[in-house]
């Protein structure tokens, strides 16, 4: 298979996922406001958990758990986006 | 800006789901006739890049962080409807797999970070073409479009919280808009940097949104 431009782009996205343990762990804008304005406690837990907090459960190292979660998510989102586009093209031509 | 369950009321969540469902259905209809061979891998890698980049929270003032949203980049490269589809892929996976953003709040999150952010960015970017067609204009237009996409999405989020009775508008609006005016600078810089990279390597990809 010839190397195409988007292979490079996908590798770049996976590289970003590997950097994910370096991300700031401070609350984001909405979480900060929810804490400051006192409505954080109204948040409800999810009904089920798969990979909560972007960390694959059962792995001791937080960095490894985060990188794995990032790689899984990046590949999953790529597969869904690519398949959706291919499906749409096929439907458009039908 | 991912809203968890509990922050918004059932009526607001329901309206969000209806609007998001209708928009995604229309986006499917509007884009399927115009899906070219080049768009297919671009949809996949853009979704992948946006997911990965969203994990990289960057610190802003006062122990707060922000992260890239990506709707502006997607809408500038592929148009607002395909932008909505890309953001929906990302937000659905974040919700179902990573418990980021509530299940009932998924529609509202798609509305804010997918639909509103995509359309705001797309129209500001297209509007900036009135000031010329050069490379500098595209970078500035793209950066501004990205800043507004985050700022307006955060204003929408403030209204949704206020209508839900979670926090009064006079508190939510300045707080959300203020913090996201800062986070939006990051969005603008990242969007301009990616556009710059694409212009230097594959300028033809910038023409795809017209299709």
């Amino acid at each position: 298979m010839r190397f195409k431009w988007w292979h490079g782009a996908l590798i770049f996205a996976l590289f970003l996922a590997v950097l994910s343990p370096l991300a700031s762990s401070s609350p984001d804008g909405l979480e900060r406001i929810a804490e400051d304005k006192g409505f954080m406690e109204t948040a409800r837990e999810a009904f089920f958990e798969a990979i909560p907090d972007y960390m694959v459960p059962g792995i001791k190292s937080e960095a490894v758990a985060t990188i794995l979660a990032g790689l899984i998510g990046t590949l999953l989102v790529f597969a869904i986006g690519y398949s959706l586009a291919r499906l749409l093209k096929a439907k458009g031509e039908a | 800006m991912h809203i968890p369950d509990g922050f918004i009321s059932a009526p607001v969540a329901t309206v969000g789901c209806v609007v998001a469902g209708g928009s995604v259905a229309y986006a499917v209809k509007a884009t399927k006739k115009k899906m070219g061979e080049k768009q297919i891998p671009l949809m996949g890698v853009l979704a992948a890049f946006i997911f990965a980049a969203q994990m990289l929270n960057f610190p802003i003032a006062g122990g707060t962080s922000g992260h890239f949203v990506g709707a502006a980049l997607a809408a500038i490269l592929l148009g607002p409807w395909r932008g909505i589809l890309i953001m929906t892929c990302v937000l659905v996976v974040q919700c179902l797999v990573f418990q980021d953003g509530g299940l009932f709040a998924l529609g509202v999150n798609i509305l804010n970070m997918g639909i509103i952010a995509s359309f705001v960015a797309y129209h500001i970017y297209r509007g900036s073409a009135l000031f010329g067609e050069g490379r500098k204009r595209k970078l500035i237009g793209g950066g501004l479009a990205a800043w507004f996409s985050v700022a307006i999405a955060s204003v929408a989020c403030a209204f949704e919280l206020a209508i839900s009775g979670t926090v009064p508008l006079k508190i939510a609006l300045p707080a959300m808009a203020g913090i996201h005016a800062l986070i939006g600078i990051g969005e603008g810089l990242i969007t301009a940097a990616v556009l710059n990279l694409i212009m230097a390597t594959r300028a033809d990809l910038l023409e795809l949104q017209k299709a």
Side-chain angles (χ1 to χ4, degrees):
Chain A
M1 194 163 73
R2 253 183 67 230
F3 188 83
K4 297 206 181 73
W5 64 271
W6 61 270
H7 297 145
L10 183 60
I11 290 166
F12 182 66
L14 292 169
F15 171 70
L16 290 182
V18 172
L19 295 183
S20 57
L22 300 175
S24 164
S25 53
S26 298
D28 78 358
L30 176 61
E31 288 163 351
R32 156 65 56 195
I33 291 163
E35 284 170 13
D36 288 355
K37 309 300 177 191
F39 61 92
M40 199 59 184
E41 71 277 11
T42 62
R44 279 200 302 268
E45 291 292 314
F47 303 98
F48 61 91
E49 290 188 331
I51 310 181
D53 300 321
Y54 295 93
M55 276 191 256
V56 174
I59 292 174
K60 272 210 181 108
S61 160
E62 283 197 2
V64 174
T66 304
I67 291 171
L68 272 180
L71 293 175
I72 291 170
T74 303
L75 287 173
L76 186 60
V77 168
F78 169 78
I80 294 172
Y82 185 95
S83 311
L84 174 70
R86 190 151 285 300
L87 194 74
L88 287 175
K89 183 168 158 59
K91 277 189 103 181
E93 285 165 353
Chain B
M1 214 190 301
H2 294 64
I3 301 174
D5 282 330
F7 278 14
I8 50 167
S9 64
V12 172
T14 307
V15 170
C17 286
V18 170
V19 173
S23 301
V24 169
Y26 184 80
V28 165
K29 203 169 155 249
T31 57
K32 71 179 183 190
K33 296 257 181 235
K34 300 170 189 164
M35 196 62 77
E37 203 55 54
K38 264 188 201 171
Q39 273 98 334
I40 293 172
L42 187 55
M43 290 239 333
V45 290
L46 259 180
F49 170 78
I50 288 168
F51 175 87
Q54 282 207 9
M55 285 184 76
L56 298 173
N57 284 55
F58 47 84
I60 59 164
T64 308
S65 73
H67 65 71
F68 184 61
V69 174
L73 182 66
I76 288 168
L77 289 175
L78 285 171
W81 295 109
R82 278 179 289 236
I84 288 171
L85 292 179
I86 288 170
M87 293 310 294
T88 301
C89 291
V90 172
L91 290 163
V92 166
V93 168
Q94 287 173 331
C95 170
L96 295 181
V97 181
F98 298 94
Q99 285 70 55
D100 191 11
L103 193 56
F104 290 127
L106 180 59
V108 174
N109 283 324
I110 291 174
L111 174 62
N112 295 343
M113 286 179 280
I115 301 165
I116 293 173
S118 290
F119 272 99
V120 166
Y122 181 74
H123 288 292
I124 290 175
Y125 181 74
R126 291 303 291 265
S128 74
L130 298 172
F131 301 99
E133 271 298 324
R135 180 176 178 138
K136 209 166 144 193
R137 189 288 296 175
K138 282 183 177 149
L139 292 181
I140 295 171
L144 277 177
W147 185 88
F148 275 102
S149 73
V150 170
I152 304 290
S154 78
V155 167
C157 181
F159 273 92
E160 289 145 10
L161 295 171
I163 295 167
S164 300
T166 303
V167 57
L169 188 64
K170 65 177 194 291
I171 290 172
L173 190 56
M176 282 299 282
I179 285 185
H180 289 90
L182 289 175
I183 295 174
I185 297 172
E187 184 84 15
L189 292 175
I190 296 168
T191 304
V194 175
L195 289 176
N196 190 37
L197 181 69
I198 292 171
M199 276 190 263
T201 53
R202 285 294 302 258
D204 56 308
L205 296 179
L206 272 172
E207 306 303 317
L208 291 176
Q209 97 282 3
K210 288 168 190 152

